[in-house]
Amino acid sequence: MITYKQYHIQQVEHGPKRWVARITRTDGQNIRTILPATELPYLDTKPTTSAEEAEALAKEGIDFGGVV
């Protein structure tokens, strides 16, 4: 698990060569998204072929994807 800005990112393997990154807030609060307007305890990225790709998607989502 790594910490990026105010979020924790954990790479999780879902089957062979299927990695996702789970994003949670460091303060334990729910994550709010803009589109669609939701509030959840965590968000998962779409599956990728490596843990590094999943982590990059998570960082991109935090920076540009409307995660607050």
Side-chain angles (χ1 to χ4, degrees), residues 21-36:
R22 178 160 289 174
I23 305 166
T24 57
R25 288 182 53 133
T26 56
D27 60 7
Q29 293 184 7
N30 286 342
I31 296 174
R32 291 182 293 147
T33 60
I34 296 170
L35 287 174

Side-chain angles (χ1 to χ4, degrees), residues 33-44:
T33 60
I34 296 170
L35 287 174
T38 60
E39 191 169 318
L40 302 166
Y42 65 88
L43 294 174
D44 286 343

Side-chain angles (χ1 to χ4, degrees), residues 34-62:
I34 296 170
L35 287 174
T38 60
E39 191 169 318
L40 302 166
Y42 65 88
L43 294 174
D44 286 343
T45 63
K46 68 179 183 177
T48 63
T49 57
S50 72
E52 293 78 20
E53 286 181 58
E55 182 181 317
L57 276 179
K59 288 179 179 178
E60 183 179 319
I62 292 167

Side-chain angles (χ1 to χ4, degrees), residues 12-20 46-51 53:
V12 181
E13 189 171 16
H14 283 272
K17 295 188 179 182
R18 292 193 51 154
W19 289 86
V20 298
K46 68 179 183 177
T48 63
T49 57
S50 72
E53 286 181 58

